[in-house]
Amino acid sequence: MTQNATEKRVLAAIGQRRELINDGIDVDLPLADPERLYEATRYILEAGGKRLRPTATLLVGEALADTDPSELDYRAFPTVTGGEVDLMAAAVSIEVIQSFTLIHDDIMDDDDLRRGVKSVHNQYDTSTAILAGDTLYSKAFEIMADVGGKPENTLEAMRLLSSTCTKICEGQSLDVAFESRDDLTPEEYLEMVERKTAVLYGAAVAIPAVLLDADQEIVDAMYQYGIESGKAFQIQDDVLDLTVPSEELGKQRGSDLIENKETLITLHARQQGVDVDGLLSQSTIESVTEDEIDAAVEKLEDAGSIEYAREMAEDLTAQSKERLNALPDNEASDLLADLADYLISRGY
Amino acid sequence: MTQNATEKRVLAAIGQRRELINDGIDVDLPLADPERLYEATRYILEAGGKRLRPTATLLVGEALADTDPSELDYRAFPTVTGGEVDLMAAAVSIEVIQSFTLIHDDIMDDDDLRRGVKSVHNQYDTSTAILAGDTLYSKAFEIMADVGGKPENTLEAMRLLSSTCTKICEGQSLDVAFESRDDLTPEEYLEMVERKTAVLYGAAVAIPAVLLDADQEIVDAMYQYGIESGKAFQIQDDVLDLTVPSEELGKQRGSDLIENKETLITLHARQQGVDVDGLLSQSTIESVTEDEIDAAVEKLEDAGSIEYAREMAEDLTAQSKERLNALPDNEASDLLADLADYLISRGY
């Protein structure tokens, strides 16, 4: 199957579930009192987003249920041992956590825009943004607490959710600390990426397996699938920043390099003796020319650094797809494989 | 028993448990990687604090265990149905939540000092403070998830903890919103105080009852005890701000009034037709004289507003102590009664 057909299948699968997930958010995160606070919690959620993670949550459930998807009710979803859980609530909980991290990250990074609209601290104010994030944080746990099924499974899901949040904070802290480090290694960078980004993918796909009472090997395999495809996604993001035309990227190509943002590619290039700091040192986002970026990319290509990152992303993706052998072979598990491919092929 | 003897007993009970709780924090919140992040999470915890809430958690456990305290191991604490839970971890979790709220509140209120040292965003920076709070938040849930005992009880404790955190955020949001309201009622103020402050007392004393597998009536009674004594504490705080000499208070007497902070007292006075805004409108914290404050307090006394608040605090405390009848009659339940009295008698 061509890359294009994979992408089409994934986007169709996401599209089919997005409205249901958005309805799920409306139900599980209603506009309560005080309204201004809850408006702020919903603001970024309503601004869009692909709902990638909650879609993955639903797909793992569907793969494990292994029946005709049209017969499945996400709110009363069959476990593999004959029980029922609210799988949609688990999916919403994951998206709510994602939304909380975006709001607080935007404050910390002082980003003015998110999903094409103003970031929460920019639209409201910093206090409201801190509080909106904090509210989403506890709401995610409240929502997860009420999924039903075996209490020990819900408890395990909440344990995984809380340790995931801790790791996300650790990853964000490492990311900030790395800005003032000049001796960073690719291994340290990958560790940061795993905590900051990949663990929430891991939780998004391991938690449905936990809730559906699947065997521990399946839970572990799903977690690894999430970690590996999540890391691949982030690494490929760095590759795309250098290789995809600005128009497709939706931002200036090479912006990481211009802004001196360290990536797996620059760290590898440094180890190969490339003067990374000198590559685009005279440029700004506004002044840079395509020729200057081409010249910088060529040096990174000559050092093998782009290929190094691209290969790592592809290897991680291949590994992640192997993990799916733990699932029954059906349309949903095929879609999870497609999703892993899609994460490193996104055309934006 | 005189007020003074009550205070002595409470402070002794707190003192006996404080070191154990501090050791518990060291065990359950170790200095992990990245160290700077975990140092920031520990910074306010190490700056002091009475450990009132975790002490109350332990006391409820002791009251329910109803045996010689010297035979009790907080880490393997007997439930009322013959099981065992890590009661200390639950107590630490509550203190960790408290610490998270202090850190984020200090950012929102731009308070430079906390417990006599710099606030976290002042000592470090705002990003580190946001992240330290977020880390404590998830750590509290991680710690609570591992208390052992029946999974449905741990799950219920986590449900209570998460809904408590949501209410704290709502209360903080109301507090901020109330600053721009000129038609606030005493009822709305009390609702804000309940969410912002009292619910964490409620959780601190209901959660041990949940974990120890006590009957639902005991859990409910403990929650009400916490809510009522927590509200009383906050109301009395407003009374003390006007009635206790500055030296004992550790800050300028009447500072709430000078800073136009609305309290139950000012809201009552407004309803009685007192020109609250004119009371100390010409004064600043630096310029105010004792005579000016005395004159303002006299007007509030003439309107019956101070007595109104004092009586409400006393009534709530009396109610809260009634709730303790649900517990066995022993030293620990007596201490919980003393604690309620102490909360409205604090000499600072």
Side-chain angles (χ1 to χ4, degrees):
Chain A
M1 185 171 292
T2 68
Q3 202 63 71
N4 204 21
T6 305
E7 205 163 311
K8 233 168 139 174
R9 277 184 58 185
V10 169
L11 291 177
I14 289 174
Q16 285 158 16
R17 289 159 187 81
R18 194 192 290 126
E19 280 311 301
L20 293 170
I21 292 167
N22 288 344
D23 291 346
I25 293 169
D26 285 343
V27 170
D28 289 331
L29 194 72
L31 263 184
D33 167 59
E35 267 193 35
R36 190 183 144 88
L37 174 64
Y38 281 95
E39 275 168 21
T41 65
R42 301 272 306 250
Y43 172 77
I44 286 296
L45 280 162
E46 285 170 1
K50 284 207 175 59
R51 314 294 188 224
L52 264 181
R53 292 165 196 79
T55 295
T57 302
L58 298 181
L59 284 174
V60 170
E62 292 172 40
L64 288 168
D66 198 25
T67 52
D68 180 359
S70 68
E71 287 171 16
L72 291 169
D73 175 359
Y74 291 124
R75 290 291 187 183
F77 203 88
T79 71
V80 297
T81 50
E84 250 179 33
V85 293
D86 185 345
L87 186 64
M88 181 55 78
V92 169
S93 173
I94 293 290
E95 186 70 5
V96 167
I97 286 288
Q98 163 73 359
S99 189
F100 137 68
T101 65
L102 296 180
I103 293 172
H104 280 193
D105 279 5
D106 284 345
I107 306 172
M108 292 184 245
D109 301 340
D110 202 14
D111 282 331
D112 290 342
L113 292 175
R114 169 68 66 177
R115 292 177 174 165
V117 298
K118 284 184 181 178
S119 51
V120 177
H121 68 281
N122 192 11
Q123 171 73 15
Y124 295 81
D125 53 66
T126 299
S127 290
T128 304
I130 291 174
L131 214 42
D134 290 345
T135 305
L136 288 168
Y137 210 155
S138 50
K139 274 285 165 190
F141 283 95
E142 279 193 76
I143 293 165
M144 191 67 86
D146 284 334
V147 294
K150 291 187 184 171
E152 59 267 36
N153 289 341
T154 309
L155 180 57
E156 179 58 25
M158 292 185 77
R159 183 182 285 123
L160 189 48
L161 196 65
S162 52
S163 65
T164 297
C165 290
T166 300
K167 286 190 188 117
I168 293 171
C169 293
E170 291 170 354
Q172 171 71 5
S173 176
L174 288 174
D175 198 12
V176 172
F178 285 177
E179 279 172 24
S180 55
R181 286 269 307 276
D182 58 4
D183 57 348
L184 207 60
T185 64
E187 290 71 29
E188 287 177 303
Y189 179 81
L190 288 169
E191 176 64 30
M192 181 275 286
V193 164
E194 175 162 332
R195 294 197 217 178
K196 185 173 171 174
T197 307
V199 291
L200 190 57
Y201 277 96
V205 290
I207 282 174
V210 169
L211 294 177
L212 263 59
D213 214 21
D215 290 343
Q216 189 61 41
E217 304 97 83
I218 296 179
V219 172
D220 293 342
M222 288 305 96
Y223 190 71
Q224 287 308 320
Y225 161 80
I227 294 287
E228 287 155 358
S229 56
K231 277 166 84 170
F233 168 86
Q234 199 57 51
I235 294 165
Q236 186 71 353
D237 210 42
D238 298 342
V239 174
L240 297 174
D241 184 70
L242 292 171
T243 57
V244 172
S246 301
E247 312 86 73
E248 283 181 45
L249 211 54
K251 59 174 183 174
Q252 175 60 55
R253 179 168 69 105
S255 59
D256 288 350
L257 215 52
I258 298 162
E259 290 167 350
N260 297 313
K261 193 174 159 284
E262 215 68 70
T263 67
L264 192 64
I265 297 166
T266 59
L267 293 171
H268 178 271
R270 282 178 201 281
Q271 287 188 331
Q272 306 304 308
V274 176
D275 173 22
V276 170
D277 300 322
L279 283 177
L280 286 171
S281 60
Q282 305 302 317
S283 303
T284 66
I285 293 278
E286 289 74 27
S287 74
V288 74
T289 66
E290 286 300 305
D291 284 351
E292 285 168 336
I293 295 174
D294 284 341
V297 168
E298 202 179 316
K299 281 186 188 146
L300 294 171
E301 264 172 359
D302 289 347
S305 304
I306 293 179
E307 196 51 28
Y308 165 78
R310 197 196 308 270
E311 264 182 25
M312 189 177 291
E314 284 170 1
D315 289 350
L316 282 165
T317 300
Q319 274 176 45
S320 79
K321 287 160 72 179
E322 285 290 314
R323 309 289 184 179
L324 297 172
N325 293 334
L327 294 177
D329 186 11
N330 52 34
E331 197 191 333
S333 53
D334 286 350
L335 280 169
L336 286 164
D338 289 341
L339 187 60
D341 284 328
Y342 170 74
L343 286 177
I344 62 163
S345 73
R346 299 153 303 139
Y348 60 85
Chain B
M1 188 172 286
T2 69
Q3 204 60 75
N4 204 20
T6 304
E7 204 164 311
K8 232 170 141 176
R9 275 184 61 183
V10 170
L11 291 176
I14 290 173
Q16 282 157 19
R17 288 159 187 83
R18 193 192 289 126
E19 279 311 300
L20 293 170
I21 293 167
N22 287 344
D23 290 347
I25 294 169
D26 286 344
V27 169
D28 290 330
L29 193 72
L31 262 184
D33 167 59
E35 263 192 40
R36 190 182 144 89
L37 174 64
Y38 281 95
E39 275 168 21
T41 66
R42 302 267 310 242
Y43 172 76
I44 286 295
L45 280 163
E46 284 170 1
K50 284 208 175 59
R51 312 297 187 222
L52 264 181
R53 292 165 196 77
T55 295
T57 303
L58 299 180
L59 284 174
V60 170
E62 291 172 42
L64 288 168
D66 199 24
T67 52
D68 180 358
S70 68
E71 285 170 16
L72 292 169
D73 175 359
Y74 291 123
R75 290 291 186 183
F77 202 87
T79 72
V80 296
T81 50
E84 250 180 34
V85 293
D86 185 345
L87 186 65
M88 180 56 78
V92 169
S93 174
I94 294 289
E95 184 71 5
V96 166
I97 287 288
Q98 163 74 358
S99 189
F100 137 68
T101 65
L102 296 180
I103 293 172
H104 280 193
D105 279 4
D106 284 345
I107 305 173
M108 291 184 247
D109 302 339
D110 203 14
D111 281 331
D112 290 342
L113 291 175
R114 170 66 68 179
R115 290 176 176 165
V117 299
K118 286 185 180 177
S119 52
V120 176
H121 68 284
N122 192 12
Q123 171 72 14
Y124 295 83
D125 53 66
T126 299
S127 291
T128 304
I130 292 174
L131 213 44
D134 290 346
T135 306
L136 287 169
Y137 212 156
S138 51
K139 273 286 164 189
F141 283 96
E142 279 193 76
I143 293 165
M144 191 66 85
D146 284 333
V147 294
K150 291 187 185 172
E152 59 268 35
N153 289 341
T154 309
L155 180 57
E156 179 58 26
M158 291 184 77
R159 183 180 287 124
L160 189 50
L161 195 64
S162 53
S163 65
T164 297
C165 290
T166 300
K167 289 194 187 110
I168 293 171
C169 293
E170 291 170 353
Q172 171 72 6
S173 176
L174 288 174
D175 198 13
V176 173
F178 285 177
E179 280 172 25
S180 55
R181 286 268 308 278
D182 57 3
D183 56 348
L184 207 61
T185 65
E187 290 69 29
E188 287 177 303
Y189 178 82
L190 288 168
E191 177 64 31
M192 181 275 287
V193 163
E194 174 161 333
R195 294 197 217 177
K196 184 171 171 175
T197 308
V199 291
L200 190 58
Y201 275 97
V205 289
I207 283 174
V210 169
L211 295 176
L212 264 58
D213 215 18
D215 290 343
Q216 189 60 42
E217 304 95 87
I218 296 179
V219 172
D220 293 342
M222 288 304 95
Y223 190 72
Q224 288 307 323
Y225 161 81
I227 294 287
E228 287 155 358
S229 57
K231 276 166 85 170
F233 168 85
Q234 199 58 51
I235 294 165
Q236 186 71 354
D237 211 42
D238 297 341
V239 174
L240 297 174
D241 183 70
L242 292 170
T243 57
V244 173
S246 300
E247 313 83 73
E248 281 180 48
L249 212 53
K251 59 175 184 176
Q252 175 60 54
R253 180 168 69 105
S255 59
D256 288 350
L257 215 51
I258 299 163
E259 291 167 349
N260 297 313
K261 193 172 159 281
E262 216 68 70
T263 67
L264 192 64
I265 296 165
T266 60
L267 292 171
H268 178 271
R270 282 179 201 282
Q271 288 189 329
Q272 306 304 309
V274 175
D275 174 22
V276 171
D277 300 321
L279 283 178
L280 287 172
S281 59
Q282 307 301 316
S283 304
T284 65
I285 293 277
E286 288 74 26
S287 73
V288 75
T289 67
E290 286 302 303
D291 285 349
E292 286 168 335
I293 295 174
D294 284 340
V297 167
E298 202 179 314
K299 282 184 189 149
L300 295 171
E301 265 174 357
D302 288 347
S305 304
I306 293 179
E307 196 50 28
Y308 165 77
R310 197 198 308 268
E311 265 183 26
M312 189 178 291
E314 282 171 4
D315 288 349
L316 282 165
T317 300
Q319 273 177 44
S320 79
K321 287 160 72 180
E322 285 290 314
R323 309 288 183 181
L324 297 171
N325 291 334
L327 295 176
D329 187 12
N330 53 34
E331 197 190 334
S333 53
D334 286 350
L335 280 169
L336 286 164
D338 288 342
L339 187 59
D341 284 330
Y342 170 73
L343 286 176
I344 60 163
S345 72
R346 297 151 306 141
Y348 61 84

